Amino acid sequence: MEQQLLAFMFNTRHRLSPDGLSGSATTEFNGDLKSVNEIINRAITVWQSGTDAERIAYKDMFDGLNNNAVVIIPGSSGDCPEPFPAED
């Protein structure tokens, strides 16, 4: 699970915008809209104290999030970088 969580963190925090996605950006997770921060925090809790079944379920969910096109609802305007650098 830890590799999938790290990949998710990399995919959300190291995007085209300089600061990655804001922690308030949301996506569908377990049938609900959850913020990036909520997903990461819950996954860390499951990793530290969850059952094996929970860890496997989270690993599978992160596999899906990391390997497929995922709809992200912006949490701030910084989540939507311009396609080209601004000219001076």
Side-chain angles (χ1 to χ4, degrees), residues 1-86:
M1 177 183 144
E2 57 274 4
Q3 291 90 356
Q4 290 80 9
L5 173 57
L6 287 173
F8 179 77
M9 292 169 76
F10 184 82
N11 289 335
T12 57
R13 293 185 177 167
H14 302 283
R15 294 173 58 93
L16 296 176
S17 59
D19 298 322
L21 287 174
S22 65
S24 60
T26 57
T27 190
E28 185 179 340
F29 189 76
N30 279 345
D32 294 320
L33 285 179
K34 297 287 184 189
S35 73
V36 169
N37 284 345
E38 289 174 314
I39 294 169
I40 291 170
N41 291 337
R42 178 66 184 138
I44 290 170
T45 300
V46 167
W47 182 22
Q48 292 174 334
S49 59
T51 66
D52 288 342
E54 288 175 313
R55 288 186 195 104
I56 290 169
Y58 269 71
K59 179 191 89 54
D60 293 343
M61 285 184 284
F62 280 120
D63 277 343
L65 289 171
N66 292 329
N67 295 318
N68 295 297
V70 176
V71 175
I72 299 288
I73 300 168
S76 73
S77 60
D79 291 335
C80 304
E82 295 179 36
F84 304 101

